[in-house]
Amino acid sequence: MQLTKQQDSFILFAKANVSAHGAQMGAGMENRMEIYNSLTKKVEPFVPNEDGKVKMYTCGPTVYHFAHIGNLRSYIMEDLLEKTLRYLGYDVKRVMNITDVGHLSGDSDDGEDKMLKGARREHKTVMEIAGFYTDAFFEDCKKLHIKRPDVVEPATGCIEEFIHMVQTLLEKGFAYEMGGNVYFDTSKLANYHVFSGQTEEELLVGVREDVEEDSNKKNKSDFVLWFTKSKFDAQELKWESPWGMGYPGWHIECSCISIKHLGEYMDIHCGGVDNIFPHHTNEIAQSEAYLGHKWCNYWFHVHHLNDQTGKMSKSKGEFLTVSLLEEKGYNPLAYRLFCLQSHYRKPLMFSYEALSNMETAYNKLVNKIAGLREEGEIEQDKFEAYQKRFADALCDDLNSSMAITVLYDMLKEDMTDRTKRELAKSFEEVLSLGLFAVRKEEEDPELVAYVLKRIEERTAAKKAKDFKTADAIRDELSAKGIILEDTREGVKWKKA
Ligand code: AMP
Ligand code: ZN
């Protein structure tokens, strides 16, 4: 790997956008995407380093358990970003890591090793756990129409690169060995807290009392690059290194894997908001110290999916997975629509009631599109006007709910069915809602419309305590081969 000459003021690079080639957008591609950048805390025009090309990195899952639908909210919105960029004509290369080593339950090098915890829970080896949950993650992604990134790299496949980076950081004076571990020395940076602009002292306010301090650290915010002697003697995965048998810290993997596949300059880095500190802060620290220049211009962070207890997580509240939603009778793509209807920078509150309403809306939408006939000519002016409105919505800091409003407006517009079908196909490239995949029981839009109408009437009858009418509607539908099921989340139906 080629290193550029070290410069004096690391992380100060983060203040102004750099362009590796000083490139402007080429003719033929309109650069009109605007996106919120967590680094500058502003919505900014998106200008990649290389003309027409986007280098994008996503922090992948820690594969010690199934992904919950909160994790998947982040991946749905990142998928939307990637597809929007492709829709605008960019050639996107997207890389994702798989965290199969080094992630502790506390993000600041405290707590249990997550992979070990998973292996103990299931009486399996760490690699068995990693393999199983990596496959499960991509199965969930498939159900949610999340595209697999161009490169997917497990952390355990890059140990040599991690060692090389740690060694370089030691040589450059940004790291030190203490008590057998190697630490990054944050005091060597002009501005370690690039995202918050906070000082060390400010950040200490509110630090959890129960986080045990690692007495090896020279500064409170230093973090582990390589563990050898640590509390995890039982660590299954260990590798030879210049510092003894050990394993990498969590943050180093994303720096190495992204530089390995995307080179020294990256355009946009994605993750959930909880990744901002310490994970992304530490990634910037070590990558820029290693490279000697600014590394990534745009940082895209998705806000959390919450439930009644707060941020959805794997360790508290109901552990909501895609399979669980399916067991309860929901179509995973209704969940995708639920996510797209809300802006990625706003927290999103999950409830079954909201999802049920979204599923009803989803079914109506899909049936409306299924009812469009291959008739008439394409009305070019209207086609282009709607395509522009759709792209404009997404270019406005990824306003996905506005993009869906454009879809609804388009379906109501007075124009040929063929124009509408072609527009829906075009929007589907980005939305990926399965707009043209009608479920078996929904193949007949007239039947669907009728069943939905009768369900509404039955619900109204029940509300008015007219149980005779409600039962009669159920019996009538049953005679037509339609089974109704009253669930906590609303009425569901299927063909017998
Ligand atoms: P993990 O598997 O814990 O490494 O997390 C995978 C991704 O999910 C990361 O980008 C996290 O920031 C993100 N994430 C975790 N919890 C949530 C949540 N409740 N809502 C949205 N994204 C989340
Ligand atoms: Zn990461």
Side-chain angles (χ1 to χ4, degrees), residues 68 274 304-307 309-313 316:
H68 58 62
D274 58 313
H304 285 145
L305 180 76
N306 297 321
D307 57 20
T309 61
K311 171 184 176 264
M312 189 166 288
S313 76
K316 67 172 181 54

Side-chain angles (χ1 to χ4, degrees), residues 146-366:
I146 297 169
K147 179 184 167 295
R148 191 185 169 97
D150 304 291
V151 178
V152 174
E153 176 95 82
T156 48
C158 296
I159 300 299
E160 255 179 61
E161 284 91 343
F162 302 157
I163 292 174
H164 170 76
M165 187 178 264
V166 176
Q167 226 160 1
T168 309
L169 290 170
L170 278 163
E171 282 160 22
K172 287 186 161 197
F174 286 105
Y176 57 92
E177 259 187 281
M178 192 70 84
N181 298 329
V182 184
Y183 295 86
F184 188 91
D185 186 347
T186 54
S187 70
K188 295 283 159 70
L189 303 175
N191 175 19
Y192 166 65
H193 300 290
V194 281
F195 287 107
S196 60
Q198 278 169 300
T199 63
E200 198 80 354
E201 272 148 43
E202 281 168 336
L203 273 165
L204 290 181
V205 178
V207 163
R208 274 173 31 218
E209 287 294 322
D210 58 329
V211 174
E212 52 189 279
E213 262 321 305
D214 179 345
S215 58
N216 290 326
K217 290 184 184 180
K218 287 189 191 166
N219 312 290
K220 252 190 149 91
S221 52
D222 291 356
F223 53 93
V224 179
L225 296 168
W226 187 269
F227 290 98
T228 57
K229 292 195 185 68
S230 73
K231 51 193 160 180
F232 306 119
D233 285 339
Q235 182 74 11
E236 230 177 87
L237 301 176
K238 286 184 188 174
W239 293 266
E240 277 294 351
S241 81
W243 318 284
M245 286 292 278
Y247 56 99
W250 171 37
H251 318 294
I252 196 91
E253 67 179 85
C254 289
S255 292
C256 277
I257 292 173
S258 58
I259 292 170
K260 176 176 175 186
H261 295 285
L262 297 172
E264 291 186 21
Y265 295 91
M266 197 206 302
D267 295 303
I268 189 156
H269 192 309
C270 313
V273 277
D274 58 313
N275 284 159
I276 293 177
F277 187 82
H279 187 47
H280 289 166
T281 304
N282 291 351
E283 277 189 46
I284 295 176
Q286 61 203 2
S287 299
E288 297 195 356
Y290 171 76
L291 293 169
H293 58 71
K294 191 180 175 187
W295 172 50
C296 177
N297 284 335
Y298 300 90
W299 289 81
F300 174 87
H301 289 113
V302 181
H303 275 256
H304 285 145
L305 180 76
N306 297 321
D307 57 20
Q308 277 73 15
T309 61
K311 171 184 176 264
M312 189 166 288
S313 76
K314 289 170 193 174
S315 51
K316 67 172 181 54
E318 194 181 12
F319 187 175
L320 284 173
T321 59
V322 171
S323 313
L324 186 69
L325 293 188
E326 282 183 311
E327 275 165 33
K328 287 178 182 279
Y330 292 102
N331 180 347
L333 293 173
Y335 177 65
R336 185 174 172 108
L337 179 62
F338 176 69
C339 292
L340 298 191
Q341 284 285 22
S342 154
H343 195 257
Y344 75 93
R345 279 202 290 127
K346 288 198 181 126
L348 177 59
M349 177 60 98
F350 177 82
S351 74
Y352 284 113
E353 198 189 350
L355 186 60
S356 289
N357 292 339
M358 201 52 78
E359 176 134 350
T360 307
Y362 176 81
N363 289 336
K364 280 187 185 161
L365 180 63
V366 169

Side-chain angles (χ1 to χ4, degrees), residues 65-186:
H65 217 318
F66 291 108
H68 58 62
I69 59 170
N71 301 127
L72 291 159
R73 177 192 188 197
S74 285
Y75 295 113
I76 287 172
M77 301 318 284
E78 292 166 7
D79 180 68
L80 183 81
L81 173 66
E82 177 187 348
K83 287 174 178 163
T84 296
L85 292 169
R86 289 183 192 276
Y87 192 73
L88 295 173
Y90 289 105
D91 175 9
V92 181
K93 180 173 180 187
R94 179 157 171 220
V95 177
M96 179 194 270
N97 67 305
I98 297 289
T99 299
D100 54 1
V101 67
H103 193 173
L104 310 189
S105 60
D107 285 349
S108 305
D109 304 333
D110 62 298
E112 271 185 284
D113 179 296
K114 290 191 179 186
M115 293 304 298
L116 212 59
K117 194 172 150 188
R120 278 209 206 101
R121 185 186 62 232
E122 298 184 22
H123 307 290
K124 289 191 180 132
T125 65
V126 165
M127 288 325 280
E128 281 168 347
I129 290 287
F132 178 81
Y133 288 112
T134 302
D135 291 348
F137 172 72
F138 285 113
E139 273 304 308
D140 287 345
C141 286
K142 224 188 259 173
K143 289 175 187 165
L144 292 164
H145 290 186
I146 297 169
K147 179 184 167 295
R148 191 185 169 97
D150 304 291
V151 178
V152 174
E153 176 95 82
T156 48
C158 296
I159 300 299
E160 255 179 61
E161 284 91 343
F162 302 157
I163 292 174
H164 170 76
M165 187 178 264
V166 176
Q167 226 160 1
T168 309
L169 290 170
L170 278 163
E171 282 160 22
K172 287 186 161 197
F174 286 105
Y176 57 92
E177 259 187 281
M178 192 70 84
N181 298 329
V182 184
Y183 295 86
F184 188 91
D185 186 347
T186 54

